[in-house]
Amino acid sequence: MVTLIIAEKPNVARKIAYALAEGKPVRKTIGKVPYYEFTRAGKKIIVAPAVGHLFSLAPKTKIYGYPIFDIEWVPVYVAEKGKSYAKDYIKALATLAKRADEFVVACDYDTEGEVIGYTALKYACGVDPSKAKRMKFSALTRKDLLKAWYNLEPTINFGMADAGIARHVLDWYWGVNLSRALTSAIKRASGKWMVLSTGRVQGPTLKFLVEREREIANFKPTPYWVIKMLLEKNNENYTAVYEKERVLDENEAKRIVEEAKKGPAFVEKVEVKQQNRNPPVPFDLGTLQREAYSAFGYSPKKTLELAQKLYERGLSSYPRTSSQKLPKSLNFRSILQNLAKLPEYKPFAHSLLGKDKLKPVEGKKDDPAHPAIYPTGELPKPGELTRDEANLYDLIVRRFLALFMEPAVREIMKVVINSNSHRFILSGARTVKEGWLKVYGKYVKFDEVILPAFREGESVKVIQIKREKKKTKPPARYSPAAVIKKMEDLGIGTKATRAQILETLYSRGYIEGKKKIKVTPLGMRVVEALEKNVPDIVSVELTRAFEEKMEEIMAGKEKKENVIEESKNQLVKILKVFKERELDIGKMLLETTGTGATTSKTAAGKASIKELSEEEEKAVKKAVEEEKSPLVVGKCPKCGGNLVVRYNRRTGKRFVGCSNWPKCNVTYPLLQRGEIIPTDKTCCGGAPVVKIREKGREYEVCVDMNCREWRNKK
């Protein structure tokens, strides 16, 4: 009896093998793909990895135009350029499947993980997915993996698999067809070629960003006056604010100031009260992304990537969760005992271990698949984490410790000062008991405004009473973290996809600005053109309705075939209207606000829309495709990033550039002909050596054009 366990990634396969093996598993390879063999309870077990999605959707026949709905699952290297590595993993699983009698899916327990497992079983292994069992875990610790092994689910979760498959199909239908429609509209209106895109969730997300731009553009500031009293107490100055925060009439403001100046000023009332501030609730993904943005400025996508790395190392639990609750079965005491081994957490963990009962605070949100994010108790090795990973780990650990601590106590002081029957408020606040702020205070700041003692009836020494003219401000632009929160509130996208959708809007040139997001003229015109002609494409309500349908698929209340068919029918109607108005849409897309110019951005970056020769058009198309999965030829000698093959966004000519651009500006020119093959060699100052294969000839060359050592070596 041979059992084949399919993991989502190579490092996860290794974790599973070492957790389940009674001894040390034997590492073997098929080609470049590692897998592990061992025996447990007399049963031979093989653990082999996928490498994320091994299969993707693609048209059954290569046709141009739209609509297109005849699609199928194909190897990802067939559907997307630059993913040839997947061929080795598919081959390895197919080979190992022939030796197996039993199959277990051990991919991440969510819709994407279920799709990865389902397609790997069906198309790589040639196995009916209903015949496979399922390991379900939320952390990659030995304890969690053994528990999952001893409690195997009889089948994969077909509700999640069907919902994931439906999402892939819907996203393909909408993304590909609508993007082809936009590109066709530009071509028809101008004869000029330009790549534009939109999608099922991308369009509505861009729309609410555009709506904020309109609010800002249409905002008319209103003047108002703030009246302040500067007073002195114990040789210190303090500022009290008039009880009416905004005075809208200047004459009224003048009158109040003149009357209040006459005095006398005295303390009419003193209020002092204490407020408990409870610890923050456990992290779900959205809250973690917002907190990491606030603390470190990390984009939502970066936070998810860092959290995934911590999970794969076994240091924290699965990040793609919407839960704010921790499982009752979690051994809190054991986790705290391990965290106490790290000096920075030792005093807090020891304090909590002295409690008779450990009960964390909880939030309202729940997730049937995974609990809230927590540290597993496994500790990072010295030097194992990058600075960014260490930052996020610290945030997760301190949040976890705070859950068990006492509330913080804040003292709020309000002093009401009467001056000639006009009242001014002097406010103070201070922390009188730190509680959970001892451990988490580095990420949460409260204002400390300490006031001296005041007694009712005492006179007040007034230095000045003045009015300040101000104007109302327009609503603020969204930050990346605020966009994720808005998408969550609107019910569009998923916890796993929202960050990537935001990154797509950046890459398409629809938005710009890393801290405050501004919609570009192109982004504005795309939404305006769609709103005017086919508003359903950017409809939040329609997108949310299909999100709810996919939730119903997951819950077993709806069939994926019905939802896919309903979505297809809806899209057919939309595309019919689009085609009728294609010329008008194209003309609108060629405009930019107020200039009549025809400058915008392509998916490959900034570029002018202009008439292209056939050769140039092919080059630009190739640049767009190649930039999706660039070829890595070595490491950057300046910053350590990847050196990748890039293409000029106007001419399509290739060169080598650093993946950390624009932070790192290292570039090298490249020969324009021949296949580029990376080598492990370096030359001038760490510049990579590449192999050029052209017309049956091969030769190595240093990408530093001033070098002569490698040039012409065959």
Side-chain angles (χ1 to χ4, degrees), residues 131-333:
K131 305 297 183 185
K133 297 179 181 178
R134 186 55 156 109
M135 280 180 71
K136 179 183 176 182
F137 47 85
S138 293
L140 290 172
T141 65
R142 186 170 186 272
K143 179 183 175 182
D144 284 275
L145 293 171
L146 281 171
K147 182 180 177 182
W149 176 253
Y150 287 127
N151 296 276
L152 286 176
E153 305 272 328
T155 67
I156 66 171
N157 187 319
F158 278 97
M160 287 202 302
D162 285 348
I165 291 168
R167 183 177 297 280
H168 275 262
V169 173
L170 264 62
D171 287 347
W172 197 99
Y173 278 177
W174 289 70
V176 172
N177 281 298
L178 293 175
S179 298
R180 287 188 177 193
L182 286 172
T183 303
S184 178
I186 286 281
K187 183 75 172 176
R188 183 175 172 188
S190 66
K192 302 163 187 175
W193 187 87
M194 178 183 180
V195 174
L196 288 179
S197 77
T198 189
R200 194 177 57 83
V201 182
Q202 190 188 132
T205 303
L206 182 58
K207 180 183 177 182
F208 75 68
L209 290 169
V210 166
E211 287 173 344
R212 177 55 54 89
E213 290 295 334
R214 289 170 178 161
E215 289 178 46
I216 294 170
N218 296 328
F219 182 81
K220 294 182 179 179
T222 302
Y224 67 93
W225 286 262
V226 173
I227 303 172
K228 296 180 179 180
M229 171 189 285
L230 184 65
L231 58 96
E232 183 184 308
K233 172 89 171 179
N234 299 338
N235 296 320
E236 295 286 341
N237 290 344
Y238 301 91
T239 301
V241 181
Y242 188 59
E243 63 179 341
K244 192 176 179 181
E245 291 182 1
R246 294 182 177 184
V247 178
L248 301 180
D249 181 78
E250 184 176 14
N251 290 328
E252 183 187 358
K254 287 180 181 178
R255 177 182 60 80
I256 293 169
V257 170
E258 293 304 316
E259 291 178 0
K261 280 181 177 180
K262 296 176 182 178
F266 66 94
V267 176
E268 183 177 287
K269 188 177 182 181
V270 177
E271 290 182 1
V272 180
K273 59 182 178 180
Q274 291 191 344
Q275 295 178 346
N276 281 356
R277 295 293 181 93
N278 291 323
V281 299
F283 277 135
D284 61 287
L285 177 58
T287 312
L288 176 64
Q289 288 170 320
R290 292 192 290 276
E291 197 83 335
Y293 179 80
S294 174
F296 314 117
Y298 295 162
S299 70
K301 182 185 178 185
K302 180 173 181 175
T303 297
L304 179 54
E305 289 171 349
L306 293 171
Q308 180 70 19
K309 288 177 181 177
L310 295 178
Y311 161 71
E312 290 176 10
R313 286 194 172 104
L315 301 176
S316 63
S317 62
Y318 190 63
R320 292 173 181 83
T321 176
S322 56
S323 178
Q324 295 174 332
K325 301 178 187 295
L326 294 176
K328 302 290 189 292
S329 59
L330 200 60
N331 191 334
F332 301 132
R333 199 166 292 276

